[in-house]
Amino acid sequence: MIAIVFAGVLAAFLIIGLASARRSTGDRQDYYVASQSVSPWMAGLSAVATNNSGYMFIGVIGYTYTTGLAAIWLMVGWILGDFLGSTFIHRRLRHATATTGKASFASVVAGWGGGEWPVWRRIAAILMIVFLAAYAAAQISAGSKALDGVLGVDPRLGAVSVAVIILAYSIAGGIRASIWTDAAQSIVMIVAMTLLFVVALNGVGGLSGAIAKWETIPGFLNLSPPDLRVAGMAGLSLFVIGWLFAGFSVVGQPHVMIRFMALDQESHMTSARAWYYAYFTAFYLLATGVGMLSRLYLPDMASMDPELALPRMAVELLPAALVGVILAGVFAATMSTADSLVLACSSAMTHDLPDTPVERPWILKAATAVSTLGALALALSGNQSVFDLVILAWSTLAVAFAPLLALLALGRRVNEWTAIGLMALGVGVALWWRFGLHLQDDIYEGFPGIVIPFVVGWFASRKVGVEAIRSEAPAEAD
């Protein structure tokens, strides 16, 4: 029964993705930004489904299982930082997409000020291909872990299954297929998480019963994360600030921002953001709650892989048909991100690396196939933690792109070599913070990796004149 329900939901996703091909025109503008015709609700749900990913179902729940209540600060910091970035960057990036006529994240950023930045664009493309492929591999790995935890399926077979489905509808409909399936997947994701949360909470006697049991676990209800090098409120503040910058890092994620770039009208950005943050807040709260409840149902997993907490708890609590829904929810989360990532890799290959963007549809689809197979190969090569792999890829892309995007959105103008220097500085600082100083557990490496290049870039850039700013300003919100 589990396998039947799971297969039925996956078949529905595949049908939706393939159906989107009927709207496809075949050109690169349509393949990568859906001809900027996506409605606000669909853009918002697609962006949040892509953002949540297998990291939310597998990584966050695993982290909460281990850490306890203090994991709530990840949610607080992340959503606040994400919202801060959206207040001044999203609409201006959508405007730049329309004015430049480009079909990829890096090319739009490179052409924001009216130039081309060929060297910066190619370096950005290489970074995107490497780290987005690693990120996609983490999503495929998350899906295979869920299959292993619920059905005992060989993780390699599970990884191949995810890759095949993604490849089928991504090649058929490009970004439109990804966005359509994301919208459907977001519904399955929140239904699955709500279902498991309600059943698990009722099983321990409601909220009061859960609190009584959590109190018996030493340190589980502490508000400060364990093992912070800086004690007290100072350490907690640094931890939250770090995750605030992790949330702000969304603006540096090409696979998420392309959803807002594909929005039908700039004036609809407020509506798209409303859909995005309403869903994001509800889903993150549910994921954190499920992570905490999983500690009560699976106390013996402390010495095992905590990232298997959700699928194991689903098997223990739910009838077979509903376990199939949970498994489909996990797969929906991984696929909604993985398909976006391989399409972003594909756009970097065909739009950003060459002197002239590729137009032939078969080459665009071949690049998508190469990206998917590369991510699958990485997923099959090892058993890296989903949480750690996502954070590394996320932070590297964030520090490479977020400082520059913030400067451009605030009306600063940067020349190409300064932009290259800021990218190198951000990546270098973040890697040094993580691997040299080992301070990432105290404060997320995106904090220094974004702040330092931004400050340097502010003084190395110039302010655009008033008339130029007005000419670039997007329309007012609806």
Side-chain angles (χ1 to χ4, degrees), residues 3-346:
I4 293 173
V5 173
F6 173 63
V9 175
L10 288 191
F13 293 153
L14 184 58
I15 291 169
I16 291 169
L18 294 175
S20 71
R22 299 177 62 185
R23 296 276 303 275
S24 176
T25 63
D27 60 39
R28 61 181 170 84
Q29 195 75 14
D30 191 79
Y31 193 75
Y32 290 131
V33 290
S35 301
Q36 292 191 292
S37 62
V38 179
S39 63
W41 74 269
M42 197 169 282
L45 290 183
S46 175
V48 77
T50 298
N51 191 2
N52 281 336
S53 75
Y55 152 80
M56 190 72 72
F57 267 97
I58 302 296
V60 164
I61 289 177
Y63 180 78
T64 305
Y65 176 97
T66 303
T67 304
L69 183 61
I72 196 71
W73 295 116
L74 269 70
M75 183 193 79
V76 172
W78 192 294
I79 293 179
L80 286 177
D82 190 336
F83 181 79
L84 174 64
S86 75
T87 59
F88 69 102
I89 292 177
H90 288 46
R91 191 188 306 273
R92 289 176 173 84
L93 181 61
R94 166 60 178 77
H95 182 78
T97 305
T99 56
T100 61
K102 303 296 185 181
S104 75
F105 177 83
S107 290
V108 169
V109 175
W112 193 315
E116 291 293 333
W117 289 3
V119 178
W120 181 92
R121 192 185 68 233
R122 290 188 178 95
I123 296 172
I126 293 169
L127 280 176
M128 287 168 59
I129 291 168
V130 171
F131 287 100
L132 290 177
Y135 198 165
Q139 303 313 306
I140 293 172
S141 175
S144 67
K145 282 190 176 187
L147 268 184
D148 181 27
V150 175
L151 298 177
V153 174
D154 185 332
R156 290 178 172 268
L157 179 59
V160 171
S161 301
V162 176
V164 168
I165 295 171
I166 289 169
L167 184 59
Y169 66 72
S170 294
I171 284 180
I175 192 67
R176 183 178 285 105
S178 177
I179 290 172
W180 282 25
T181 53
D182 284 351
Q185 288 161 354
S186 67
I187 296 171
V188 174
M189 287 161 59
I190 201 161
V191 167
M193 196 69 83
T194 302
L195 178 66
L196 191 54
F197 176 77
V198 170
V199 172
L201 189 63
N202 287 339
V204 294
L207 183 60
S208 58
I211 292 173
K213 290 180 172 62
W214 286 328
E215 287 176 340
T216 65
I217 304 173
F220 198 71
L221 293 183
N222 289 349
L223 280 175
S224 182
D227 304 324
L228 292 180
R229 297 191 188 189
V230 179
M233 284 301 298
L236 178 59
S237 298
L238 289 174
F239 183 82
V240 174
I241 290 172
W243 283 97
L244 185 146
F245 275 87
F248 184 82
S249 298
V250 169
V251 300
Q253 309 304 315
H255 59 292
V256 178
M257 298 306 293
I258 201 72
R259 269 78 186 141
F260 297 109
M261 293 163 63
L263 185 64
D264 55 2
Q265 297 181 37
E266 294 170 34
S267 60
H268 289 168
M269 188 62 74
T270 299
S271 297
R273 291 169 64 226
W275 280 96
Y276 178 90
Y277 289 108
Y279 183 104
F280 198 1
T281 302
F283 191 78
Y284 214 139
L285 281 170
L286 287 167
T288 302
V290 169
M292 293 188 66
L293 289 166
S294 68
R295 185 65 177 266
L296 303 181
Y297 285 94
L298 304 167
D300 58 336
M301 282 191 67
S303 60
M304 300 172 63
D305 186 353
E307 292 185 344
L308 292 176
L310 181 141
R312 294 279 175 83
M313 190 165 70
V315 171
E316 181 171 320
L317 292 178
L318 301 175
L322 297 183
V323 174
V325 175
I326 297 296
L327 186 57
V330 178
F331 258 72
T334 60
M335 289 193 299
S336 66
T337 302
D339 58 16
S340 310
L341 293 162
V342 298
L343 283 166
C345 284
S346 174

Side-chain angles (χ1 to χ4, degrees), residues 386-424:
V386 171
F387 189 84
D388 291 341
L389 192 54
V390 167
I391 293 302
L392 178 60
W394 183 277
S395 62
T396 303
L397 293 168
V399 299
F401 300 128
L404 179 60
L405 272 169
L407 289 167
L408 293 173
L410 291 172
R412 309 298 294 188
R413 285 297 169 265
V414 182
N415 65 45
E416 181 177 18
W417 290 103
T418 300
I420 293 171
L422 295 179
M423 180 189 293

